[in-house]
């Protein structure tokens, strides 16, 4: 349990602190908070928001700054959400990549079949509830909020894992099931962001730049040294590359890949994903919360360890810049997001889990009951981090976005729902 508490404290406490600070600031001084969020860090001709668009977002007072003819504005919000959050998603993608590609990866083979089916339900259920209730509320509401359908599909891995251990006990097979579901959910969320929420006009040909960067860095600094070391026990070429070049080739390739995403119109927070798959990785994974992960010395794990403290600070600013919502903004979108998470998640996970486990006969882990999947669905309804992010890209700045963000923040109600569901479903805790 220490490892879990350690992860929560490292990756979530600063995020929560930033979110609470943003929430307080936005309600005490909304004008000052908004200008802080959109503060121009750099005027330039290459990266950021178009200058005319930024002036509308910043509002009154934009003319106090002197762009000197620059066509783009790198605002504080853009810097965090579109550039720095790419490192957060790279860490998440690393876990997904290892789970899929490694021989003992948790999403490899038949053992992941039922959790994957449950993941489909955990996304289809919230979407159905969100859009269904929006339609029920009328065409005006539906037209205003329909772009937010993906917000309640998210699952916050860290918090859901902690709550899952508290509800089921550390030794319960449902905890591993929950982690498989959460990792698969993150993978699907990355795909949704890429396809349905582009940040500009799509020009997918520029993705060839990202693919080329990934291929070149993989061949020259990963594959080629290993081929040259074939039959050599000391692996001199791979060791030289690792010792003297370290992560630098991958950082340069990451910059190229990020710019390829920028030019393509896809959301740039995903710009480092093609590079993650090119980095030398371990032969096995112990899991995101396993103590052994801290001792892994392959380059991919070394980079992840090096990103730990920077990502903490990034999440602090992400919470500060995205959670600043006025309480008066609570509206239909808030309740739609909450309903999608608190109703759609548990029901969807249960229905599709039953299809996978019993109808298709993939089965459940030994010691796990069918009703446990409903409780897992309740736990996975904690959206928070990724839900906040999706809300920020699904809607333009304004009341609908604020209302949707409030729904993401209030998804912490799933913690209480999970304990109640665990009690009513008579979950028997199993400890290690």
């Amino acid at each position: 349990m220490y490892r879990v508490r350690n992860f929560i404290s490292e990756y979530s406490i600063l995020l929560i602190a930033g979110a609470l600070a943003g929430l307080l600031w936005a309600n005490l001084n909304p004008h000052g908070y908004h200008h802080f969020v959109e503060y121009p860090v750099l005027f330039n001709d290459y990266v950021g928001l178009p200058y005319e668009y930024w002036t509308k977002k910043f509002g009154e007072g934009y003319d106090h700054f002197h762009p000197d003819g620059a066509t783009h504005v790198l605002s504080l919000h853009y810097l965090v959400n579109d550039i720095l959050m790419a490192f957060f998603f790279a860490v998440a993608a690393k876990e997904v990549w290892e789970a899929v590609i490694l021989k003992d990866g948790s999403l490899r083979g038949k053992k992941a079949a039922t959790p994957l089916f449950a993941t489909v339900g955990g996304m289809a259920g919230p979407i159905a509830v969100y859009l269904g209730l929006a339609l029920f509320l009328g065409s005006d509401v539906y037209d205003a909020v329909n772009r937010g359908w993906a917000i309640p599909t998210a699952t916050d891995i860290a918090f859901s894992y902690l709550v899952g251990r508290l509800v089921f006990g550390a030794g319960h097979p449902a905890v591993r099931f929950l982690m498989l579901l959460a990792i698969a959910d993150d993978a699907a969320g990355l795909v949704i962001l890429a396809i349905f929420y582009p940040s500009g006009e799509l020009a997918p040909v520029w993705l060839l730049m990202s693919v080329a960067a990934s291929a070149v860095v993989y061949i020259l600094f990963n594959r080629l040294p290993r081929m040259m070391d074939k039959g050599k026990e000391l692996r001199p070429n791979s060791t030289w590359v690792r010792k003297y070049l370290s992560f630098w080739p991958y950082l340069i390739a990451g910059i190229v890949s990020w710019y390829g995403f920028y030019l393509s119109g896809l959301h740039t927070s995903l710009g480092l994903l093609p590079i993650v798959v090119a980095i030398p990785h371990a032969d096995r994974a112990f899991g995101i919360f396993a103590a052994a992960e801290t001792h892994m010395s392959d380059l991919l794990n070394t980079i992840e360890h090096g990103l730990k403290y920077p990502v903490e600070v990034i999440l602090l600013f992400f919470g500060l810049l995205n959670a600043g919502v006025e309480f008066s903004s609570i509206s239909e979108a808030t309740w739609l997001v909450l309903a999608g998470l608190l109703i759609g998640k548990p029901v969807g996970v249960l229905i599709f889990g039953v299809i996978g486990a019993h109808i298709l006969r993939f089965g459940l882990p030994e010691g796990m009951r069918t009703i446990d999947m409903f409780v897992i669905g309740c736990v996975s309804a904690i959206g928070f981090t990724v839900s906040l992010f999706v809300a920020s890209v699904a809607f333009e700045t304004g009341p609908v976005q604020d209302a949707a963000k409030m729904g993401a923040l209030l998804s912490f109600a799933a913690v209480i729902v999970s304990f109640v569901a665990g009690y009513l479903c008579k979950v028997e805790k199993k400890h290690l």
Side-chain angles (χ1 to χ4, degrees):
M1 193 64 179
Y2 170 76
R3 173 70 175 159
V4 183
R5 291 198 188 102
N6 193 40
F7 182 90
I8 297 297
S9 66
E10 289 172 353
Y11 285 94
S12 300
I13 292 301
L14 286 178
L15 171 61
I16 294 174
L20 290 175
L23 196 61
L24 185 64
W25 189 354
N27 281 277
L28 292 177
N29 182 8
H31 184 75
Y33 173 79
H34 176 73
H35 276 187
F36 172 76
V37 169
E38 297 299 338
Y39 189 84
V41 177
L42 177 69
F43 293 102
N44 67 99
D45 294 326
Y46 306 103
V47 172
L49 300 172
Y51 177 74
E52 293 76 13
Y53 181 62
W54 172 79
T55 60
K56 295 175 183 177
K57 293 194 73 173
F58 190 87
E60 183 183 352
Y62 77 87
D63 50 352
H64 292 166
F65 300 95
H66 305 287
D68 295 326
T71 59
H72 287 74
V73 182
L74 182 64
S75 66
L76 188 58
H77 185 267
Y78 188 95
L79 174 65
V80 171
N81 277 41
D82 292 66
I83 299 178
L84 297 182
M85 279 298 284
F87 292 103
F88 169 79
F89 283 111
V91 171
K94 178 259 184 187
E95 298 299 332
V96 174
W97 176 242
E98 288 188 332
V100 171
I101 199 68
L102 299 185
K103 186 186 297 184
D104 58 344
S106 56
L107 292 180
R108 192 179 177 94
K110 289 185 178 180
K111 60 186 175 183
T114 301
L116 287 176
F117 265 91
T119 299
V120 174
M123 304 190 82
I127 294 171
V129 170
Y130 182 93
L131 293 179
L133 288 178
L135 275 172
F136 177 78
L137 292 174
S139 59
D140 289 343
V141 173
Y142 180 83
D143 291 341
V145 304
N146 67 79
R147 268 187 59 83
W149 58 268
I151 299 172
T153 63
T155 296
D156 191 296
I157 292 182
F159 283 106
S160 62
Y161 185 74
L162 175 62
V163 174
R165 285 181 66 124
L166 293 174
V167 172
F168 290 101
H172 201 293
V175 175
R176 181 173 176 80
F177 189 103
L178 171 65
M179 278 306 292
L180 295 177
L181 184 149
I183 292 172
D185 197 11
D186 261 21
L190 295 176
V191 174
I192 287 174
L193 271 175
I195 296 176
F196 296 101
Y197 296 104
S199 57
E201 218 173 291
L202 289 178
V205 67
W206 285 107
L207 288 179
L208 293 175
M209 180 188 293
S210 300
V211 173
S214 178
V216 168
V217 79
Y218 171 75
I219 293 171
L220 293 183
F221 302 100
N222 184 349
R223 183 67 177 170
L224 183 60
R226 287 192 289 119
M227 289 176 62
M228 294 171 66
D229 285 337
K230 193 172 183 180
K232 299 176 183 178
E233 188 176 344
L234 295 179
R235 302 174 64 193
N237 297 289
S238 299
T239 302
W240 186 90
V241 169
R242 172 75 186 277
K243 183 177 180 180
Y244 293 103
L245 299 182
S246 186
F247 63 87
W248 288 105
Y250 301 96
L251 177 60
I252 294 170
I255 294 172
V256 174
S257 176
W258 183 93
Y259 200 63
F261 269 70
Y262 175 77
L263 294 174
S264 75
L266 294 181
H267 205 280
T268 49
S269 62
L270 307 178
L272 298 182
L273 302 195
I275 308 304
V276 171
V277 303
I279 302 173
H281 56 74
D283 295 327
R284 61 174 302 186
F286 294 93
I288 189 171
F289 295 112
E293 282 284 299
T294 59
H295 304 294
M296 301 292 282
S297 58
D298 61 284
L299 186 57
L300 185 56
N301 273 288
T302 300
I303 290 174
E304 182 190 33
H305 302 157
L307 286 174
K308 183 174 76 71
Y309 293 117
V311 167
E312 290 177 33
V313 178
I314 290 168
L315 289 177
L316 168 68
F317 278 95
F318 172 78
L320 177 63
L321 298 177
N322 289 275
V325 182
E326 295 180 58
F327 291 115
S328 59
S329 65
I330 293 177
S331 66
E332 290 91 347
T334 306
W335 308 121
L336 290 172
V337 170
L338 271 180
L341 285 165
L342 299 182
I343 300 173
K345 276 274 186 186
V347 174
V349 168
L350 178 61
I351 292 175
F352 278 73
V354 167
I355 293 173
H358 302 300
I359 297 178
L360 298 178
R361 298 183 179 180
F362 289 123
L364 289 169
E366 186 178 347
M368 185 174 155
R369 305 170 304 157
T370 300
I371 195 62
D372 290 335
M373 289 190 288
F374 176 78
V375 183
I376 287 172
C378 293
V379 177
S380 66
I382 306 171
F384 196 42
T385 313
V386 182
S387 288
L388 266 178
F389 188 88
V390 176
S392 71
V393 300
F395 299 113
E396 291 287 335
T397 302
V400 178
Q401 185 191 90
D402 289 345
K405 285 183 176 181
M406 187 61 77
L409 293 173
L410 293 178
S411 69
F412 271 115
V415 175
I416 299 172
V417 173
S418 299
F419 282 104
V420 172
Y423 174 78
L424 294 177
C425 295
K426 298 181 180 178
V427 169
E428 293 184 12
K429 287 188 178 182
K430 295 179 182 179
H431 300 283
L432 292 173

